[in-house]
């Protein structure tokens, strides 16, 4: 298992901490733009856009995007995984906050 | 004024970098208080600051700084602030989620931001839905709730036993899309001023957002305010609009149920219990002191790890009364002692033990017909058919293996019994349910929060 480049859990406000780095984020799909972009809502309630999404049409309501941070509000997708149509964003947001502060050593 | 306009996100601030400016809204303002310690006395007050990203931090001002900034920092307004100092937060005095807290002194710079006030959210909130309050009962964290007001009581005056002062109290009932209601008790100022306002508009079914309430188990679940709580009537936020839309479409005629009814200590049905109330790990339950004399009840979450294929599994049962029947080997009929009748046929009912494991331990647990049927996914009659047809026992043992490692929450009874002069512990499944991961996650978050507070 390749553990050389772990992708930390992020939400919108944490994107700016990892510019150009690979991160993972769960989004609620708001709108598909074209056939390879989407606009989504992060677990902290902000909109970000994702480019280079493979097969936008077959995505469920909640999607995990693993990709590179392009700007404070955009991601360039590498892998998208369907997480179904129900997902507890508030618990996930707490996970993201904990994984990036006091429990960071457990994750990275 | 010389403030560098490069605005830093609150989350990047730390004690070692002093040259920053933040743009924040005062989302909470405490009263001006006096303190006295070994070094002297003076005034102080706290504010809660929130920036565009939703990060919050508590800022305190002492003595001269308190005098200077108390009139200047107004609740709800946005300011550019710089030249404050940061240090690690003293969690005893702060209710804000931030590792650091800020102090402003007389040299700090505070300038009202007259531009783009809309960018910073008016206040931060993270609401828990009324039917999701269960895992938060008796938790240490203060939570936020939002709902449509169903009723507002008059002001009651409670006399505090200790200080003998009168404290005003008002009870309101709120409901949300889960069609569940919960009572919120407002104390002090919230009960008099804002409570009065709420009372005057109650006929319009206003939406109310209440931040930082405590969740107790009174009547199953109830919420109560405290000095840190903030109430907003009809706030301009998406959740409020959604609630209003739901209410006018179906909510106003819907039949509501109290959220506390399905929780322990609440409602008439005390048979149904919250699956978090008596939650234990298997390592705690198998101790020899448990269930000594009287049966004790717990909830455990874990997995069936093993079912022994060569155990009795089921008994022959009377189809009328479910008690054990004896087979007459000559006539192939079944005699029921309880009914005093002979029957042509009998049914099979499960009586078996399974090995149940969680990450702390394992135990052998008995399961009777209903629960065993749920665990195995087939009736005892079907299983016995399979077993008799299966010559090499391969299909049979595979069926038993198939159902292992499925997560369940079990309600179990534990009792110490004596069997042939030996003390043995008998654990039985009373009921089982599949795991609701959303609720389990919330329960874990509560546990983490309370462990942190203890540390």
């Amino acid at each position: 298992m390749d553990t050389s480049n772990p992708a930390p859990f992020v939400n919108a406000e944490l994107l700016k901490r990892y510019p150009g780095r690979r991160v993972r984020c769960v989004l609620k799909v708001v709108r598909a733009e074209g056939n390879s972009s989407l606009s989504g809502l992060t677990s902290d309630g902000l909109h970000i856009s994702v480019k280079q999404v493979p097969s936008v049409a077959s995505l469920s309501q909640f999607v995990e995007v693993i990709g590179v941070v392009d700007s404070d509000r955009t991601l360039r997708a590498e892998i998208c995984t369907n997480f179904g149509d129900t997902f507890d964003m508030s618990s996930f947001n707490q996970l993201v906050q904990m994984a990036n502060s006091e429990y960071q050593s457990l994750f990275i | 004024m010389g403030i560098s306009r490069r605005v830093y996100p609150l989350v990047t601030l730390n004690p070692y970098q002093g040259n920053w400016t933040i743009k924040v809204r005062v989302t909470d303002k405490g009263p001006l208080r006096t303190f006295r310690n070994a070094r002297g006395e003076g005034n102080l007050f706290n504010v809660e600051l929130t920036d565009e990203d939703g990060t919050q931090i508590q800022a305190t001002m002492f003595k001269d700084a308190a005098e200077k900034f108390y009139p200047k920092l107004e609740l709800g307004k946005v300011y550019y602030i710089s030249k404050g100092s940061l240090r690690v937060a003293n969690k005893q005095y702060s209710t804000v989620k931030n590792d650091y807290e800020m102090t402003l002194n007389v040299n700090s710079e505070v300038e009202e931001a007259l531009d783009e006030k809309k960018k910073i959210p008016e206040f931060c909130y993270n609401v828990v839905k009324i039917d999701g309050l269960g895992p938060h009962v008796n938790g240490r964290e203060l939570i936020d709730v939002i709902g449509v007001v169903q009723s507002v009581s008059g002001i009651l005056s409670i006399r505090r036993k200790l200080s003998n002062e009168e404290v005003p109290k008002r009870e309101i009932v709120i409901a949300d899309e889960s069609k569940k209601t919960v009572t919120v008790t407002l104390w002090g100022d919230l009960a008099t001023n804002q409570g009065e306002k709420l009372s005057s508009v109650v006929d319009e079914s206003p939406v109310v957002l209440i931040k930082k309430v405590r969740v107790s188990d009174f009547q199953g679940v109830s919420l109560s305010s405290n000095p840190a709580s903030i109430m907003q009537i009809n706030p301009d936020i998406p959740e409020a609009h959604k609630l209003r839309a739901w209410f006018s479409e179906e909510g106003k005629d819907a039949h509501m149920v109290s959220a506390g009814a399905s929780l322990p200590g609440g409602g008439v049905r005390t048979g149904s219990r919250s699956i978090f109330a008596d939650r234990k790990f298997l390592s705690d339950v198998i101790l020899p002191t448990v269930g000594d004399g009287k049966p004790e009840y717990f909830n455990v979450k874990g997995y069936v790890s093993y079912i022994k294929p060569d155990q009795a599994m089921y008994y022959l049962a009377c189809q009328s009364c479910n008690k054990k029947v004896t087979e007459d080997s000559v006539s192939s009929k079944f005699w029921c002692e309880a009914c005093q009748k002979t029957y042509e046929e009998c049914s099979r009912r499960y009586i078996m033990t399974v090995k149940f494991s969680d990450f702390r331990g394992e135990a052998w647990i008995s399961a009777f017909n209903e629960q065993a049927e749920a665990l195995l996914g087939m009736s005892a009659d079907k299983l016995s058919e399979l077993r008799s047809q299966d010559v090499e026992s391969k299909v049979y043992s595979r069926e038993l293996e198939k159902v292992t490692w499925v997560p369940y929450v079990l309600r179990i009874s534990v009792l110490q019994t004596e069997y042939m002069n030996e003390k043995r512990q008998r654990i039985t499944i009373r009921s089982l349910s599949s795991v609701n991961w959303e609720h389990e996650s919330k329960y874990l978050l509560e546990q983490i929060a309370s462990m942190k507070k203890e540390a």
Side-chain angles (χ1 to χ4, degrees):
Chain A
M1 183 167 160
D2 180 15
T3 54
S4 58
N5 189 13
F9 288 99
V10 298
N11 54 22
E13 79 169 318
L14 288 163
L15 277 181
K16 57 173 82 74
R17 261 214 233 166
Y18 301 100
R21 295 257 323 262
R22 199 142 151 278
V23 296
R24 72 173 68 220
C25 183
V26 176
L27 297 176
K28 184 173 183 191
V29 180
V30 169
R31 189 178 47 242
E33 284 154 12
N35 59 351
S36 66
S37 297
L38 65 88
S39 162
L41 205 59
T42 57
S43 55
D44 52 346
L46 297 168
H47 285 95
I48 68 167
S49 60
V50 186
K51 314 224 176 304
Q52 296 184 12
V53 179
S55 60
V56 170
S58 61
L59 295 177
S60 57
Q61 263 254 288
F62 291 93
V63 171
E64 184 195 48
V65 178
I66 302 176
V68 178
V69 179
D70 242 0
S71 83
D72 281 3
R73 291 281 181 269
T74 49
L75 276 179
R76 208 185 333 130
E78 288 177 6
I79 307 172
C80 290
T81 315
N82 279 340
F83 268 21
D85 292 331
T86 48
F87 189 77
D88 185 1
M89 281 299 225
S90 69
S91 294
F92 181 74
N93 200 46
Q94 291 197 49
L95 165 66
V96 168
Q97 286 171 338
M98 291 197 279
N100 280 285
S101 55
E102 57 228 308
Y103 301 108
Q104 198 168 33
S105 52
L106 293 177
F107 288 86
I108 307 268
Chain B
M1 215 187 171
I3 294 184
S4 110
R5 285 296 161 153
R6 163 85 205 271
V7 170
Y8 287 68
L10 256 181
V11 72
T12 61
L13 258 51
N14 62 65
Y16 314 108
Q17 193 227 37
N19 207 8
W20 46 258
T21 300
I22 53 174
K23 185 175 173 189
V24 287
R25 191 187 294 273
V26 177
T27 44
D28 195 5
K29 182 176 173 184
L32 194 61
R33 295 174 282 161
T34 38
F35 70 89
R36 182 180 300 165
N37 60 29
R39 283 172 284 163
E41 60 177 45
N43 289 328
L44 79 103
F45 78 103
N46 294 326
V47 288
E48 180 187 87
L49 305 171
T50 308
D51 76 349
E52 187 180 55
D53 300 325
T55 319
Q56 302 184 304
I57 194 167
Q58 179 168 281
T60 312
M61 281 132 282
F62 296 94
K63 297 195 192 175
D64 293 352
E67 316 268 329
K68 180 176 178 186
F69 294 119
Y70 192 77
K72 202 156 188 211
L73 286 170
E74 292 178 61
L75 181 62
K77 290 208 172 151
V78 181
Y79 302 90
Y80 288 105
I81 299 180
S82 59
K83 298 197 185 151
S85 60
L86 259 75
R87 56 167 183 210
V88 175
N90 183 343
K91 295 284 182 185
Q92 241 192 321
Y93 292 116
S94 95
T95 49
V96 172
K97 300 182 190 73
N98 196 314
D99 289 334
Y100 298 121
E101 56 188 18
M102 189 183 292
T103 309
L104 301 182
N105 55 54
V106 276
N107 298 318
S108 304
E109 292 174 345
V110 170
E111 190 182 303
E112 191 176 339
L114 298 159
D115 56 324
E116 301 166 65
K117 258 185 271 192
K118 294 236 163 51
K119 252 206 201 159
I120 302 190
E122 267 209 30
F123 34 82
C124 240
Y125 51 88
N126 190 359
V127 288
V128 177
K129 287 274 155 216
I130 295 180
D131 65 348
L133 288 171
H136 292 274
V137 166
N138 290 332
R140 314 260 183 137
E141 294 239 320
L142 302 177
I143 59 154
D144 307 338
V145 286
I146 189 170
V148 180
V149 179
Q150 304 276 80
S151 65
V152 179
S153 75
I155 286 218
L156 307 153
S157 220
I158 304 289
R159 186 179 293 277
R160 274 224 211 285
K161 288 207 178 87
L162 291 153
S163 61
N164 213 37
E165 55 174 291
E166 298 263 340
V167 182
K169 150 179 161 176
R170 208 190 277 265
E171 287 184 359
I172 68 171
V173 177
I174 60 172
D176 70 6
E177 306 99 331
S178 63
K179 297 209 196 119
K180 292 238 167 93
T181 61
V182 67
T183 307
V184 186
T185 307
L186 305 172
W187 297 93
D189 253 6
L190 225 49
T192 40
N193 303 330
Q194 302 217 266
E196 182 66 46
K197 242 188 278 181
L198 207 54
S199 191
S200 60
V201 293
V202 69
D203 291 329
E204 297 162 26
S205 302
V207 173
V208 69
L209 165 76
I210 315 176
K211 288 184 41 146
K212 302 202 182 148
V213 288
R214 194 169 298 281
V215 188
S216 79
D217 62 5
F218 180 64
Q219 294 195 328
V221 62
S222 1
L223 306 176
S224 70
S225 76
N226 51 73
S229 306
I230 302 176
M231 184 162 89
Q232 287 266 350
I233 307 177
N234 288 324
D236 187 9
I237 53 177
E239 272 84 341
H241 301 313
K242 256 197 287 177
L243 265 174
R244 173 150 307 294
W246 161 78
F247 191 73
S248 50
E249 272 174 27
E250 61 168 290
K252 62 181 189 287
D253 305 311
H255 172 62
M256 309 280 190
V257 164
S258 149
S262 51
L263 293 169
V268 184
R269 283 188 60 208
T270 46
S272 65
R273 297 165 183 281
S274 161
I275 54 175
F276 300 104
D278 306 306
R279 182 64 71 88
K280 289 267 178 249
F281 294 121
L282 284 171
S283 52
D284 303 319
V285 158
I286 57 177
L287 296 172
T289 47
V290 178
D292 199 5
K294 235 179 31 154
E296 286 185 54
Y297 294 87
F298 306 100
N299 285 302
V300 287
K301 165 175 153 294
Y303 301 79
V304 172
S305 46
Y306 182 58
I307 307 179
K308 242 196 273 185
D310 52 353
Q311 58 171 309
M313 286 304 233
Y314 39 74
Y315 65 96
L316 303 177
C318 168
Q319 286 177 328
S320 310
C321 70
N322 283 338
K323 294 225 190 316
K324 182 167 169 205
V325 293
T326 36
E327 186 173 2
D328 187 326
S329 44
V330 173
S331 63
S332 272
K333 289 198 213 271
F334 304 96
W335 166 254
C336 176
E337 185 73 42
C339 300
Q340 293 281 313
K341 269 166 73 173
T342 310
Y343 292 93
E344 292 282 332
E345 299 195 345
C346 72
S347 61
R348 279 160 193 76
R349 290 178 70 78
Y350 284 117
I351 170 71
M352 61 177 210
T353 51
V354 298
K355 199 173 199 200
F356 200 72
S357 309
D358 68 8
F359 82 100
R360 277 269 197 95
E362 55 187 20
W364 288 97
I365 304 187
S366 313
F368 288 102
N369 199 52
E370 248 178 65
Q371 289 80 34
E373 208 173 294
L375 285 175
L376 292 173
M378 65 175 82
S379 68
D381 286 320
K382 180 116 200 293
L383 189 74
S384 81
E385 214 182 281
L386 213 135
R387 199 178 189 179
S388 55
Q389 288 175 354
D390 186 22
V391 180
E392 279 171 48
S393 283
K394 278 224 188 96
V395 180
Y396 172 68
S397 37
R398 209 181 331 128
E399 282 298 318
L400 295 184
E401 252 177 59
K402 255 197 330 191
V403 299
T404 53
W405 301 110
V406 175
Y408 287 108
V409 174
L410 304 181
R411 182 155 180 80
I412 55 172
S413 66
V414 183
L415 179 62
Q416 296 284 352
T417 51
E418 258 196 54
Y419 184 69
M420 316 248 258
N421 274 338
E422 231 183 66
K423 267 226 163 172
R424 277 158 128 234
Q425 197 186 53
R426 195 161 164 78
I427 308 178
T428 316
I429 306 180
R430 294 288 160 200
S431 67
L432 61 80
S433 57
S434 45
V435 179
N436 179 327
W437 295 108
E438 205 179 296
H439 289 167
E440 292 287 325
S441 302
K442 290 205 161 77
Y443 175 68
L444 275 178
L445 285 167
E446 267 289 315
Q447 295 270 291
I448 294 174
S450 56
M451 279 192 261
K452 257 199 307 181
K453 292 261 162 92
E454 277 166 34

